[in-house]
Amino acid sequence: MTKQVLTLRVNGEEHSLAVSPNETLLEVLREDLELTGVKEGCGEGACGTCTVLMDGVPRRACLTLALEAAGQEVITVEGLARAGELTPLQRSFVDGHAIQCGFCTPGMLIAGTHLLQNNPRPTETEVRKALAGHVCRCTGYAKIVKATLAAAEES
Ligand code: FES
Ligand code: FES
């Protein structure tokens, strides 16, 4: 398949890459840009661990063609911290023991970041709704929800 040149803006940096029309954003982020914080779980849109922000909106990178991201601002979990400082949500996940194996954490943090940007004082129900579709096999979700609410309270 003929490759096309894609200019991709990720975490504030611009990259020029040759990609096949059928390559996913997930493949390009992990394999070409080595942003391995973006995880591949199910590969079919069901687990949420590959979630990134595209122009501020959560998207499943496994279901997104890389070419669809042309001209959009992509934020991965690597792009959340600023100058080495964790965001309040990231800090709250650490302090609140909301991470066990960590495989779901990148997607949870992206979804939680989107929620708090748009609804700084969510209820527990709103947090659970925002995180629906993000599968965690370790924590039972309670600590993730609590950490998200704690981050909202803190900020
Ligand atoms: S890897 Fe994309 S939703 Fe599971
Ligand atoms: S912490 Fe292991 S899957 Fe969520």
Side-chain angles (χ1 to χ4, degrees), residues 86-100 102 104-113 116 127 131 136 139 141 143-151 154:
L86 297 181
T87 65
L89 183 61
Q90 289 174 308
R91 174 54 52 205
S92 191
F93 265 55
V94 173
D95 294 345
H97 309 288
I99 305 165
Q100 286 186 28
C104 69
T105 309
M108 294 286 188
L109 287 171
I110 292 287
T113 298
L116 297 182
V127 171
L131 300 181
C136 177
T139 66
Y141 303 97
K143 287 184 177 175
I144 292 172
V145 172
K146 207 169 158 192
T148 306
L149 289 167
E154 191 192 318

Side-chain angles (χ1 to χ4, degrees), residues 26-101:
L26 178 60
E27 289 169 324
V28 168
L29 291 173
R30 286 184 56 85
E31 291 161 27
D32 295 279
L33 301 182
E34 298 183 352
L35 293 167
T36 53
V38 190
K39 300 287 183 253
E40 178 166 12
C42 63
E44 54 186 30
C47 74
T49 196
C50 67
T51 304
V52 299
L53 293 176
M54 254 171 75
D55 276 357
V57 178
R59 287 281 295 257
R60 307 266 151 130
C62 69
L63 295 184
T64 304
L65 291 174
L67 290 171
E68 288 180 67
Q72 303 209 38
E73 179 74 41
V74 177
I75 304 287
T76 71
V77 70
E78 289 91 343
L80 295 180
R82 287 276 172 268
E85 282 289 313
L86 297 181
T87 65
L89 183 61
Q90 289 174 308
R91 174 54 52 205
S92 191
F93 265 55
V94 173
D95 294 345
H97 309 288
I99 305 165
Q100 286 186 28
C101 79

